[in-house]
């Protein structure tokens, strides 16, 4: 079955006016944790992408390869959800402030703050980091309208049938917002 056909079937089952607006806690519990534990996800809205593939392309190239985008009610922003598979080459980079993209056409820059995602008992489940995309290099970088939130579990343990501690999954939410014309 074609991916577009599956998406059409999913969308046809949703009520009119439905908006996919999960909270940070819902994204962590129902998507990221289930992904890590190889459980069935509530919906197939987040494809898998390898970190090396993700960081090899600027966000406008990535967004066309994701099968489903959501239009946010605020400002008409478009959002894409995906799981980033971070293997040993990228694990040490997960907390770096700047991540270069591909051939140096741009970079993701962290806001520097990690937000705690807590469950209803107040226990820390995960961390949320925000990144902004800049085109160009350090000397002539220009902030773009792309931003990304990444969710990673607080204590990520491998799935029962998976024993490698040299890899992890991160849930990403890529947003295309309004155009920005300011320099770095």
């Amino acid at each position: 079955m074609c991916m577009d056909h599956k998406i059409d079937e999913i969308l046809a089952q949703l009520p009119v006016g439905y908006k996919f607006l999960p909270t940070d806690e819902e994204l962590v519990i129902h998507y990221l944790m289930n992904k890590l534990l190889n459980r069935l996800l509530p919906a197939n809205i987040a494809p898998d992408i390898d970190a090396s593939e993700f960081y090899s392309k600027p966000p406008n190239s990535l967004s066309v390869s994701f099968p489903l985008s959501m239009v946010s009610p605020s400002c008409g922003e478009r959002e894409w959800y995906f799981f980033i598979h971070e293997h040993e080459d990228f694990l040490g980079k997960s907390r770096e402030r700047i991540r270069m993209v591909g051939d140096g056409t741009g970079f993701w820059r962290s806001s520097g703050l990690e937000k705690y995602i807590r469950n209803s008992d107040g226990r820390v489940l995960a961390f949320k980091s925000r990144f902004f995309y800049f085109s160009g290099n350090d000397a002539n970088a220009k902030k773009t309208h792309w931003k990304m939130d990444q969710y990673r579990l607080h204590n990520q343990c491998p799935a029962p049938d998976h024993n490698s501690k040299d890899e992890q999954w991160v849930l990403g939410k890529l947003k295309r917002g309004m155009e920005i014309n300011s320099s770095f």
Side-chain angles (χ1 to χ4, degrees):
M1 184 182 283
C2 173
M3 180 60 85
D4 290 338
H5 186 65
K6 285 183 181 180
I7 292 168
D8 290 341
E9 284 182 17
I10 292 168
L11 294 176
Q13 295 174 13
L14 299 175
V16 174
Y18 173 82
K19 307 252 187 306
F20 184 72
L21 297 172
T23 64
D24 290 342
E25 182 182 356
E26 290 168 338
L27 285 171
V28 169
I29 291 172
H30 297 289
Y31 289 91
L32 186 55
M33 289 177 120
N34 284 338
K35 176 69 172 178
L36 180 67
L37 296 172
N38 290 327
R39 294 181 186 157
L40 189 63
L41 298 175
N44 189 17
I45 58 108
D48 298 349
I49 187 168
D50 190 73
S52 58
E53 181 183 352
F54 181 82
Y55 292 109
S56 71
K57 302 174 185 173
N60 58 333
S61 297
L62 289 167
S63 63
V64 296
S65 62
F66 294 141
L68 183 61
S69 69
M70 307 291 178
V71 178
S72 175
S74 61
C75 306
E77 287 185 334
R78 295 190 70 82
E79 297 178 344
W80 293 265
Y81 294 85
F82 51 91
F83 291 105
I84 299 177
H85 180 236
E86 293 189 334
H87 44 81
E88 60 190 32
D89 297 338
F90 285 88
L91 284 177
K93 298 178 182 180
S94 64
R95 293 191 183 181
E96 287 182 0
R97 285 187 51 84
I98 294 179
R99 297 183 188 180
M100 296 307 292
V101 171
D103 58 2
T105 57
F107 58 90
W108 288 99
R109 182 173 182 214
S110 167
S111 67
L113 304 173
E114 277 192 326
K115 176 183 171 188
Y116 294 124
I117 308 296
R118 298 179 185 275
N119 68 5
S120 56
D121 298 335
R123 195 179 79 229
V124 175
L125 293 174
F127 300 99
K128 176 181 172 181
S129 301
R130 173 147 300 162
F131 292 86
F132 298 95
Y133 186 74
F134 290 81
S135 63
N137 56 35
D138 288 338
N140 63 354
K142 181 178 177 182
K143 188 174 183 180
T144 69
H145 58 289
W146 291 95
K147 58 187 167 189
M148 173 179 51
D149 291 332
Q150 284 191 350
Y151 302 85
R152 65 179 177 83
L153 290 182
H154 175 52
N155 291 318
Q156 187 161 159
C157 50
D161 63 345
H162 188 13
N163 58 13
S164 175
K165 293 184 180 181
D166 295 333
E167 54 186 38
Q168 70 180 12
W169 288 100
V170 176
L171 177 62
K173 178 169 58 172
L174 182 65
K175 292 182 185 180
R176 185 187 74 204
M178 306 294 274
E179 292 284 340
I180 297 175
N181 293 323
S182 62
S183 296
F184 175 51

